Amino acid sequence: MTGHDVRAHPLPVALLVLTCAVAVASVPLSAGREPVIDTALYPLNAVALGAAGLLIRMRLPRHRVGLLLAGLGLVGALVELLEGYGYHDTWPGALSVQWGAAWGSPVGAGSTATLLALFPDGRAAGRRWRWLPPFTIGATATLVLGAALSHANDDSYAFTTDGNPYAVDGFDILFHIGELAFAASIVLSIASLVGRFRRAGGMERQQLKLIFWFACLLAVVGPAAAVSYHSNVVVQVAITLLVPLLPVTICVAILRYRLYDVDVLIARTIAYAALTALLAVAWGVTALVLGALLGGGSAWVTAGATIAAAAVVLPLRRRVQDGVDRAFRRARHHALARVDAYLEDLRAGRASADELEGLLRDVLRDPALTLRLLLPGQSPPASVDGPSADRPSVDGPSADRPSTDGSSVDGRVRTLVERSGVALAEVTHAVPEGEPLADVLSRAGLAIEIARLQAEVRHRLAEVEASRARIVAAAHDERRRLGRDLHDGAQQRLVSAGLALRHVQHQLGDQPAASDLETVVTEIGGAIQDLRELAHGIRPARLDDGLELALRELAGRTPLPVRVAAAPGPLPDAVVAAAYYVAAEALTNVVKHAVANTVELRADREDGELVLSVRDDGVGGAEPGAGSGLRGLADRVGALGGRLRLESPAGAGTTLTVRLPCAS
């Protein structure tokens, strides 16, 4: 048997079983003889007390509050049974049963102070408060004794005859002393809770917040019930709905279930109460003024008061909520303020969407939080910094609210964020402990959507660049194959044919046909030279020996003095080919347009890039779009993720600089 095994707790289990039996038996006895809400909810409250007591004892076997709640549940059920029996005043012993019900009711009410004095750990709030639990028990006993032996309770609905048949003259003062003592015990118990709260921290502070929330509700409804319970239906309904909340509140607080939601509960309760009060005041004042002007029976009074109340309350709703959050949900208020400021900076261009993940980590106090953006049709999703296959991803299902999907990775929770039905991102985060995760993600929805759109644009651009690079690589490979075929195929066959003709020419000697063959051999030589030039333009074989040698050979074939300074080391083949063709096109442009005397050709590595520059001392004034061929060079360079820069002031020469990323 374990501490969580029901069989390990025979006393609270027996009390709960007996409570359920008595509560069920009370319902048919009371049905039709008291309000339906009393018939149904008070037995339910008794069962809730017993169940809460059992749950607490199962988790915390030595906790006094658990056993106290289980006992109170049985007392509450017995009171309901006695009241139901007492309604049948012709049954045997009905008057004595009514008397038992009349003094049994204060037992439950008086025990509330004892519960508060022992909350949340089953002990007094400290040495200074050790006397409080005995005092509350004594106050309850005095109240019960006064109710049992005085005429002060004669008008109780429990009695169907002329009042308390066992009352003793002079004992009314005892009942009133018990009432005062009970009221004092409630006040002192709340004071002890305040003292606990000031000294508490962490989880105990959250427990006390929850019970304070219930105490505030009780402070509003309790006095009204004491004054006008039997005459006011609204008060009866309020106290009937409130009473079952006590065992639920105590059980939730002691068992520490979702206590990080306490701040939300308190803030919403206060905000709704404040708005209700404002609405009532606005409606009442407007109705009073319009009633004085138009007459109390006018329908315009009601309509005008309703419109005025709405006009006053609706603009104030946000301010009231912000004020309550600032006072009672500081973490949420601060986090949402940070998100709002970031959104404002994002709209103004002062912030980047790439900062969003860091902002969420900061405001949610989770350094390990990860944000993964869900791009259309992409798997796996991209990170906030762009496409990535090795980062986690996140999402959540509702119109504009995030939702936790219940799954976890290494103890962390994944939440999907949606906006207008479109999945935007997935957030992997720690289980929230009071931090406003859902509110923050909802408020940051626009920023997440912007980040997703930016990541999608980056992804598309990366795809375009990769596609361009593949096209350039394919063209480069095709040029290499064609150049090799020309060199090894047609060119060699023409050389062989020329040699064969030259041999025939020698055999013919001085015959007239020999001179004709000389013309044919010369044409074949010209064709071979043309093929060599064509093969060089397609893909020089010298590139296989590295960029430096290829550039020096290119400079040697240029009809201008070219100074070459190149020592870039080994480079990717695609980068070597691109740099060579850029240099060839640039030198061709210099020869055709620059009217230059000298040219300088440089190639070197800088910060993981190949930097190629061609500088001349010509007339300058070159323009990329003026038919110079530089636009094609820019496309070739851009396909490899590089950059091209042209500086060509008139009369001061031209400098073409190309930067190409190189992985090796």
Side-chain angles (χ1 to χ4, degrees):
M1 296 183 186
T2 66
H4 291 212
D5 193 334
V6 173
R7 294 171 297 177
H9 308 277
L11 181 56
V13 169
L15 290 175
L16 178 59
V17 171
L18 187 57
T19 299
C20 292
V22 174
V24 170
S26 70
V27 173
L29 295 177
S30 302
R33 299 176 180 272
E34 65 179 5
V36 175
I37 193 170
D38 287 1
T39 302
L41 288 184
Y42 279 110
L44 181 62
N45 175 59
V47 174
L49 285 167
L54 176 59
L55 287 174
I56 293 173
R57 293 290 287 192
M58 287 174 63
R59 294 287 299 274
L60 305 168
R62 297 181 180 276
H63 208 292
R64 299 175 184 176
V65 172
L67 197 57
L68 180 59
L69 287 175
L72 287 177
L74 180 57
V75 171
L78 287 172
V79 169
E80 290 302 306
L81 182 67
L82 294 176
E83 287 180 353
Y85 189 95
Y87 288 138
H88 304 271
D89 51 8
T90 59
W91 288 9
L95 188 59
S96 298
V97 171
Q98 292 173 6
W99 173 75
W103 65 260
S105 294
V107 173
S111 300
T112 303
T114 305
L115 286 172
L116 296 178
L118 296 175
F119 184 84
D121 55 7
R123 297 186 295 272
R127 292 182 179 180
R128 294 189 306 168
W129 297 98
R130 287 181 178 176
W131 54 271
L132 184 56
F135 176 79
T136 59
I137 294 173
T140 301
T142 304
L143 181 65
V144 170
L145 187 61
L149 300 177
S150 71
H151 290 286
N153 212 24
D154 281 354
D155 59 350
S156 169
Y157 65 92
F159 294 112
T160 58
T161 56
D162 294 333
N164 187 357
Y166 301 104
V168 178
D169 293 337
F171 267 72
D172 288 7
I173 187 65
L174 184 64
F175 179 79
H176 295 306
I177 291 174
E179 284 186 317
L180 292 174
F182 167 67
S185 67
I186 289 288
V187 173
L188 291 170
S189 297
I190 294 175
S192 72
L193 286 176
V194 172
R196 280 184 190 264
F197 185 78
R198 288 178 177 176
R199 298 188 302 271
M203 189 59 67
E204 185 180 12
R205 195 175 186 87
Q206 294 299 102
Q207 290 176 306
L208 292 168
K209 282 183 181 180
L210 185 59
I211 207 66
F212 278 139
W213 169 77
F214 178 82
C216 290
L217 295 180
L218 186 63
V220 173
V221 179
V227 173
S228 59
Y229 179 82
H230 299 296
S231 60
N232 192 316
V233 176
V234 175
V235 173
Q236 291 178 8
V237 173
I239 196 67
T240 304
L241 294 175
L242 180 63
V243 167
L245 273 179
L246 178 60
V248 174
T249 303
I250 291 175
C251 186
V252 167
I254 291 177
L255 298 184
R256 304 179 179 184
Y257 177 72
R258 294 179 64 88
L259 286 185
Y260 50 84
D261 286 338
V262 171
D263 293 333
V264 178
L265 182 64
I266 294 174
R268 288 182 178 175
T269 301
I270 295 175
Y272 291 151
L275 288 173
T276 301
L278 287 173
L279 184 65
V281 170
W283 195 94
V285 171
T286 307
L288 184 64
V289 173
L290 292 179
L293 296 176
L294 303 176
S298 175
W300 289 102
V301 173
T302 303
T306 303
I307 294 172
V312 170
V313 171
L314 289 179
L316 292 177
R317 185 190 66 81
R318 181 67 179 269
R319 292 188 178 183
V320 170
Q321 186 66 62
D322 287 344
V324 171
D325 287 346
R326 189 180 296 110
F328 296 95
R329 300 176 68 187
R330 294 183 181 179
R332 176 184 183 274
H333 177 78
H334 175 70
L336 294 184
R338 288 278 308 278
V339 172
D340 289 341
Y342 169 74
L343 286 173
E344 187 64 29
D345 290 343
L346 189 62
R347 294 188 185 98
R350 295 187 297 269
S352 168
D354 294 342
E355 303 169 11
L356 179 58
E357 186 176 63
L359 175 74
L360 293 178
R361 288 177 177 176
D362 189 17
V363 299
L364 295 173
R365 301 176 186 177
D366 183 2
L369 179 145
T370 56
L371 172 68
R372 297 178 64 193
L373 304 173
L374 303 177
L375 303 186
Q378 184 189 31
S379 179
S383 74
V384 74
D385 296 322
S388 174
D390 58 356
R391 257 186 89 171
S393 164
V394 257
D395 33 44
S398 78
D400 289 322
R401 297 284 294 178
S403 71
T404 302
D405 62 12
S407 61
S408 62
V409 179
D410 296 331
R412 301 177 65 77
V413 180
R414 294 186 303 175
T415 297
L416 184 69
V417 181
E418 286 189 341
R419 190 175 175 87
S420 302
V422 178
L424 300 179
E426 186 181 72
V427 179
T428 302
H429 55 90
V431 177
E433 292 289 345
E435 295 299 341
L437 174 74
D439 292 333
V440 167
L441 293 182
S442 178
R443 190 71 65 89
L446 177 60
I448 294 175
E449 187 171 16
I450 292 173
R452 176 178 176 271
L453 290 174
Q454 290 185 355
E456 184 176 359
V457 170
R458 290 171 181 163
H459 178 66
R460 300 302 182 197
L461 288 176
E463 287 184 337
V464 170
E465 289 185 358
S467 176
R468 290 173 63 186
R470 288 192 297 270
I471 292 172
V472 169
H476 169 66
D477 291 341
E478 184 62 22
R479 287 191 185 98
R480 170 179 282 183
R481 184 193 62 78
L482 184 56
R484 186 168 53 249
D485 290 345
L486 287 174
H487 180 271
D488 299 337
Q491 184 176 328
Q492 294 300 324
R493 292 178 66 183
L494 284 174
V495 170
S496 298
L499 292 174
L501 288 174
R502 184 68 69 183
H503 178 68
V504 172
Q505 184 184 24
H506 285 304
Q507 287 181 340
L508 292 175
D510 295 331
Q511 296 183 28
S515 59
D516 295 334
L517 285 177
E518 179 65 28
T519 303
V520 174
V521 170
T522 301
E523 288 296 326
I524 290 176
I528 291 172
Q529 184 61 34
D530 290 343
L531 282 177
R532 284 175 178 168
E533 292 294 330
L534 183 60
H536 277 297
I538 292 175
R539 204 278 178 187
R542 181 66 72 178
L543 286 184
D544 294 335
D545 298 326
L547 180 62
E548 182 180 358
L549 292 178
L551 292 179
R552 293 189 184 280
E553 182 189 39
L554 181 63
R557 292 190 287 109
T558 302
L560 282 175
V562 179
R563 296 193 302 271
V564 179
L571 295 167
D573 196 56
V575 174
V576 171
Y580 177 83
Y581 289 119
V582 168
E585 180 67 25
L587 289 176
T588 300
N589 287 338
V590 170
V591 172
K592 289 182 179 180
H593 308 290
V595 194
N597 295 316
T598 60
V599 183
E600 183 181 10
L601 178 60
R602 301 183 63 88
D604 208 346
R605 282 177 182 261
E606 290 182 10
D607 300 327
E609 293 181 323
L610 171 66
V611 181
L612 176 74
S613 65
V614 181
R615 179 183 295 110
D616 67 67
D617 58 357
V619 296
E623 297 180 6
S628 62
L630 292 179
R631 182 175 298 169
L633 292 183
D635 290 342
R636 181 186 290 272
V637 170
L640 297 177
R643 304 183 302 281
L644 182 148
R645 181 181 180 186
L646 179 68
E647 298 178 58
S648 187
T654 299
T655 301
L656 177 69
T657 304
V658 170
R659 290 180 175 271
L660 293 168
C662 46
S664 61

